[in-house]
Structures are given as C-alpha cells and as structure tokens.
C-alpha cells in the first residue's frame, strides 16, 4: 500500500497543512494538529506531563532531560496510533537531535510507564540504540541505521508498525535519513497479546533517562506503506 495513492485532504490552522494521505499530523513549527479526522487543539491530543510552553515556532517541541515535558498521546491521537500498532501504520518524525544520547521514540505500553508495564512495543532512537531499535515483549527485536544518524543535527525517520504482508505475518521496518531499510517480521498481532494500550509515550519512555534530547518538528501518521518507500519518506 502507498500513501501516495490516497486522496489529498487539506486542512489548515496556524499556517500548517495536512500532508497528502496523512491520518494524523503534529506540526509544532506551525501550530497545526490533526487527528481523528479533524483539526485539534494540541492540549486535546497530548497529555501526561505535556508542557505546551516547550513548543517554539522556530525550533519545534523540546523534549530533553533538562525539562519536564513528557507528552503522551491522548484523545483522537491515541486512538489513531492505537489503530496503527494494532492494524498497521507508518510514522514519520522530523527532529533536531541535540546530542548523541538515545531515547524513546514512540512507546506503546499496557502500564503507566515502562517500569510498570508487562507488555509493550518500544522504539528507541540514538547511537547506543544502534540507530532505531524496535522490540516488544514477545519476539520482535531488531535495530539498525546508526551510521545514518546526523548527530547534533536534523534527522528524519520513517518506521512502519505491523504491516500486513500476508500469511498471518506482520512486518516492522524503518529508515533513517533516506538510508537502508532494516526490518523484522512476526507472526502475530499486538492486539492478541496487549488488547488494551494504557500509555503511548511520545519521544520518551515515561521513565528517567528515556527522553529523545531533541526538538520535535513534525510527526505524521500514514496507513502502512511498503518498506521500499521508507527511504523516500525519511529523506530530510
């Protein structure tokens, strides 16, 4: 499936647009937020320890260990992202990395935080994570792309969750800054093991030392695309 085949939907607020085929879109540079088929106020889709004062139109939303901004997806955004991890979706995140530390990208958990969770799907970004690392509580476990990280600079990543590739198989894959695609395949749906997602931590792990250390510029959700399209989506 390719998002380029989806109809173009346009919505505007604060100068931002909904990208072609996007299901959800957070544009922290332009103050434009879309989820659940409609424009949203940022406070209606980001909760937890979200701090709106950490959003800058010049740089994006700052998440790092020197502040307390730890946003979780809520409302329509949580619903859209839950559908993606249960049924398949591709997420593209553009951000300015502030140092070489690794931190949580998007983390789906059945508890309030990583330490309290029994079941989970985790994605980390950074050099010590081997680029992007993806794992769950069952058998998903892979990483790659560290050579493609632009340290202390602009990065763009595209990763697919649970793409249906037939035969009961689900593919997870990612690309960093237009680089090589890394992937793993499992034979189950997340919903079979984790029917309820309590927390979707965005750009952190909901625990100490789990932050991205970055200015998040945009985050966009699409229907799951073929992994061959990920380098194009992740090209800055």
């Amino acid at each position: 499936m390719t998002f380029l085949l989806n109809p173009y939907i346009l919505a505007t607020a604060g100068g931002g647009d909904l990208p072609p085929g996007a299901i959800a879109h957070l544009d922290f540079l332009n103050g434009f937020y879309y989820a659940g088929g409609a424009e949203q106020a940022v406070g209606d889709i980001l909760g937890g320890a979200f701090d709106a004062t950490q959003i800058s139109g010049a740089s994006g939303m700052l998440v790092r260990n020197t502040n307390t901004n730890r946003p979780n997806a809520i409302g329509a955004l949580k619903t859209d992202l839950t559908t993606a991890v249960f049924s398949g979706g591709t997420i593209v995140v553009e951000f300015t990395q502030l140092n070489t530390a690794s931190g949580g990208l998007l983390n789906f958990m059945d508890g309030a935080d990583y330490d309290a969770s029994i079941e989970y799907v985790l994605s980390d970004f950074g050099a010590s994570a081997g680029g992007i690392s993806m794992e769950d509580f069952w058998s998903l476990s892979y990483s790659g792309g560290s050579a493609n990280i632009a340290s202390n600079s602009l990065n763009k990543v595209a990763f697919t969750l649970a793409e249906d590739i037939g035969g009961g198989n689900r593919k997870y894959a990612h690309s960093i800054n237009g680089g090589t695609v890394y992937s793993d395949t499992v034979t189950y749906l997340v919903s079979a093991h984790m029917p309820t997602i309590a927390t979707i931590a965005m750009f952190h792990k909901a625990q100490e030392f789990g932050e991205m250390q970055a200015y998040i510029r945009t985050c966009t959700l699409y229907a799951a695309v073929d992994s061959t399209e990920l380098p194009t989506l992740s090209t800055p």
Side-chain angles (χ1 to χ4, degrees), residues 79-90:
T79 299
D80 287 344
L81 289 172
T82 297
T83 299
V85 75
F86 281 176
S87 303
T90 293

Side-chain angles (χ1 to χ4, degrees), residues 21-26 77 80-81 84 88-92 219-223:
I23 296 169
H25 183 57
L26 309 182
L77 179 61
D80 287 344
L81 289 172
T90 293
I91 299 167
V92 180
C219 178
T220 309
L221 170 66
Y222 300 98

Side-chain angles (χ1 to χ4, degrees), residues 150-194:
S151 298
N152 307 308
S153 187
L154 181 67
N155 285 272
K156 193 173 184 182
V157 302
F159 59 101
T160 292
L161 305 168
E163 178 195 358
D164 186 354
I165 58 174
N169 297 308
R170 295 283 172 159
K171 188 174 184 177
Y172 292 73
H174 72 261
S175 170
I176 302 173
N177 294 327
T180 300
V181 173
Y182 297 87
S183 66
D184 194 12
T185 300
V186 300
T187 58
Y188 51 82
L189 285 170
V190 169
S191 56
H193 299 278
M194 185 169 56

Side-chain angles (χ1 to χ4, degrees), residues 38-156:
E39 295 178 38
Q40 304 283 345
V42 67
D44 290 335
I45 56 174
L46 293 181
F50 168 57
D51 181 359
T53 68
Q54 296 302 310
I55 298 175
S56 162
S59 304
M61 180 179 68
L62 179 61
V63 180
R64 70 178 312 178
N65 58 357
T66 55
N67 69 16
T68 58
N69 185 30
R70 306 291 181 268
N72 294 338
I74 62 172
L77 179 61
K78 183 180 180 184
T79 299
D80 287 344
L81 289 172
T82 297
T83 299
V85 75
F86 281 176
S87 303
T90 293
I91 299 167
V92 180
V93 185
E94 185 176 40
F95 55 93
T96 302
Q97 189 78 353
L98 299 177
N99 56 42
T100 59
S102 297
L105 194 54
L106 266 77
N107 295 291
F108 302 79
M109 300 170 284
D110 69 350
D113 56 37
Y114 175 72
D115 292 330
S117 296
I118 297 173
E119 297 176 335
Y120 51 79
V121 177
L122 305 179
S123 60
D124 285 356
F125 175 88
S128 64
I132 289 179
S133 64
M134 297 281 293
E135 64 175 293
D136 64 17
F137 183 74
W138 312 286
S139 66
L140 176 69
S141 180
Y142 80 98
S143 64
S146 59
N148 298 110
I149 293 175
S151 298
N152 307 308
S153 187
L154 181 67
N155 285 272
K156 193 173 184 182

